[in-house]
Amino acid sequence: MKSWVAIAVATAALAGCQSSANMRWVRIGYGPELEVANAQCEIASMSVERGVVAWGSPSYVAGAQLGNAIGNEIRKAQFKKQCMILQGWKQEPARHPSMGQALNANPVAKKQQADVRKAKANGQYFPPAPN
């Protein structure tokens, strides 16, 4: 019975982590393009994983490994979220045009993009320093 409860809790926790399907990345500042920022943050997020050592019954060891895997995924998601913010991107819920706002309607990002285009046109744009 205890194992079924553990499986149900683990499934619920993992399902809660999968809610990014209806989320989109929105530019909030200067930085690399989305694909570059995403790749950098994805690679860096692998460094936050922790290992586990467990002794005991097979069910205890399996539970410890499952708990560690869930913890690692949570740590990676939090790290990636903060890394993307540092790269100039933020996740927000995707909205459908029928909900009153277009999918790409972000006035802050549009103004920043316009500022970058204007600076490039005037020869005053300096890209961010490489990492």
Side-chain angles (χ1 to χ4, degrees):
M1 182 65 177
K2 288 181 183 178
S3 63
W4 287 107
V5 172
I7 291 171
V9 169
T11 303
L14 286 175
C17 294
Q18 299 300 321
S19 64
S20 64
N22 61 348
M23 301 291 278
R24 66 185 176 108
W25 291 104
V26 177
R27 184 176 287 280
I28 59 171
Y30 299 111
E33 293 301 316
L34 178 60
E35 293 82 14
V36 175
N38 191 29
Q40 289 174 345
C41 293
E42 193 69 35
I43 290 169
S45 72
M46 288 188 264
S47 66
V48 299
E49 291 185 11
R50 294 184 182 165
V52 64
V53 176
W55 286 276
S57 67
S59 61
Y60 174 78
V61 172
Q65 290 176 338
L66 179 62
N68 183 59
I70 292 170
N72 280 338
E73 290 304 313
I74 291 170
R75 272 188 292 280
K76 283 173 58 175
Q78 289 174 341
F79 180 91
K80 183 174 177 184
K81 178 182 175 186
Q82 299 303 322
C83 177
M84 291 295 285
I85 288 173
L86 290 173
Q87 300 283 341
W89 294 91
K90 177 180 96 169
Q91 249 187 342
E92 70 176 27
R95 295 192 177 194
H96 194 271
S98 66
M99 296 175 67
Q101 183 179 4
L103 289 175
N104 295 324
N106 182 348
V108 174
K110 286 184 179 180
K111 182 181 182 325
Q112 290 171 343
Q113 290 170 356
D115 290 345
V116 168
R117 281 193 298 272
K118 183 179 176 183
K120 283 182 179 178
N122 293 335
Q124 300 169 345
Y125 176 73
F126 297 98
N131 294 342

